[in-house]
Amino acid sequence: MSADAIQSRRDWLLSERPASRMQARLGRAYVAWRRFSANRLAFLGLLIIIALLVVAALAGVLAPYSPTFGDLKGSRLLAPSAEHWFGTDDLGRDILSRILYGSRWTLYVVILVAIIAAPIGLLVGTVAGYAGGWTDAILMRITDIFLAFPKLILALAFVAALGPGIENAVLAIAITSWPPYARIARAETLTVRNSDYIKAVQLMGASPFRIVLRHIMPLCISSLIVRVTLDMAGIILTAAGLGFLGLGAQPPLPEWGTMIASGRRFVLDQWWVAGAPGFAILIVSLGFNLLGDGLRDALDPRSGDQ
């Protein structure tokens, strides 16, 4: 594509008078991408998350050994070497293979919690903000009750009631993660509830359900995406904490928190058993934090100007 064609396409995207909704949306997306890609740390975070997705998808190809079976007789607690890059654990299993397969469980937890918690918080917050009155008071007091407890402690209580397991851990984390999203959605709703275009939609006879669903919720999506991305690191750490305490994923699943728990007995002499999965958690959490910061600046230009 020639330079003139590229410049023409860029001018079309950046037009101050778009001819269609599609052109306006593509223009906003292009501006957001330019702002995001200019942030090198955010781009680094994006690369880390892309690498996590690739590793999770190709774990069966990349892993040199089985994540659940090992050579207990001849490969127990071997130090990192050319044969076992990250060493082996107390059951002779290759730690690198377990970390690669464990990335799947990390994504499993993160994606399911986001799918469950974000819509609940969005619904509660927009309904409370638009309805006001007793509806707002009741929903926000319920939200305050959840916010009054530390997330990990509340998740521990739910998992203790539901029983240990990765599915129950996901449900417990989701139950404790929605209140901040509800607060954000309510704040966004309060800022637009009395705006002119909402009044115009009301005069056209739209029902409250349609106004919330079609005209208010879409305005809250960008803020919610940023908050969910920033919360990914906390979700990973909470899941790892539950696994460390024996209430999350159960052996022999290669979940990173469970791997740290099994390696804590050897942390002084065989540091790699707990250190390797801990470093994986550190890198992925850092990636999500950098990505969230970049998305915040890209989707909300005011935050980058302050």
Side-chain angles (χ1 to χ4, degrees), residues 245-265:
L245 296 174
L247 297 175
Q250 300 299 300
L253 288 180
E255 196 273 327
W256 294 343
T258 306
M259 293 172 63
I260 295 176
S262 64
R264 69 182 185 275
R265 296 171 295 167

Side-chain angles (χ1 to χ4, degrees), residues 191-248:
T191 60
V192 302
R193 182 177 63 180
N194 297 319
S195 59
D196 293 338
Y197 65 90
I198 295 296
K199 296 295 184 182
V201 174
Q202 292 173 342
L203 291 175
M204 293 173 64
S207 64
F209 175 79
R210 181 179 178 83
I211 293 174
V212 170
L213 183 64
R214 298 293 299 274
H215 301 282
I216 294 181
M217 282 189 178
L219 298 176
C220 305
I221 294 298
S222 60
S223 299
L224 207 64
I225 290 175
V226 172
R227 181 56 193 259
V228 169
T229 307
L230 289 171
D231 282 351
M232 292 298 187
I235 292 171
I236 293 173
L237 293 175
T238 302
L242 293 176
F244 182 84
L245 296 174
L247 297 175

Side-chain angles (χ1 to χ4, degrees), residues 42-289:
F43 199 75
L44 174 62
L46 178 62
L47 293 179
I48 292 174
I49 303 308
I50 291 176
L52 174 67
L53 293 172
V54 172
V55 166
L58 302 178
V61 178
L62 298 175
Y65 300 94
S66 169
T68 54
F69 298 99
D71 183 6
L72 185 59
K73 183 178 180 180
S75 299
R76 184 175 184 269
L77 295 175
L78 295 180
S81 62
E83 185 177 2
H84 299 280
W85 288 4
F86 289 177
T88 61
D89 62 7
D90 57 319
L91 297 178
R93 297 171 297 192
D94 182 67
I95 295 178
L96 173 61
S97 300
R98 289 179 61 78
I99 288 177
L100 294 177
Y101 275 93
S103 62
R104 293 181 173 180
W105 292 106
T106 298
L107 284 177
Y108 174 82
V109 171
V110 164
I111 292 174
L112 281 186
V113 170
I115 290 175
I116 296 173
I120 293 176
L122 179 63
L123 178 63
V124 172
T126 51
V127 170
Y130 183 77
W134 283 104
T135 302
D136 182 24
I138 293 174
L139 291 177
M140 286 301 101
R141 296 300 77 76
I142 295 174
T143 303
D144 290 339
I145 292 174
F146 279 88
L147 289 173
F149 296 93
K151 183 182 294 186
L152 181 58
I153 301 301
L154 196 57
L156 283 172
F158 280 115
V159 173
L162 297 172
I166 189 68
E167 293 82 6
N168 291 339
V170 168
L171 184 59
I173 297 172
I175 292 174
T176 60
S177 297
W178 66 266
Y181 308 145
R183 281 291 186 185
I184 291 175
R186 177 179 178 270
E188 295 279 352
T189 303
L190 290 176
T191 60
V192 302
R193 182 177 63 180
N194 297 319
S195 59
D196 293 338
Y197 65 90
I198 295 296
K199 296 295 184 182
V201 174
Q202 292 173 342
L203 291 175
M204 293 173 64
S207 64
F209 175 79
R210 181 179 178 83
I211 293 174
V212 170
L213 183 64
R214 298 293 299 274
H215 301 282
I216 294 181
M217 282 189 178
L219 298 176
C220 305
I221 294 298
S222 60
S223 299
L224 207 64
I225 290 175
V226 172
R227 181 56 193 259
V228 169
T229 307
L230 289 171
D231 282 351
M232 292 298 187
I235 292 171
I236 293 173
L237 293 175
T238 302
L242 293 176
F244 182 84
L245 296 174
L247 297 175
Q250 300 299 300
L253 288 180
E255 196 273 327
W256 294 343
T258 306
M259 293 172 63
I260 295 176
S262 64
R264 69 182 185 275
R265 296 171 295 167
F266 316 103
V267 69
L268 294 180
D269 297 322
Q270 291 83 24
W271 54 267
W272 58 86
V273 180
F279 186 71
I281 293 175
L282 170 65
I283 293 299
V284 174
S285 299
L286 178 63
F288 276 115
N289 279 332

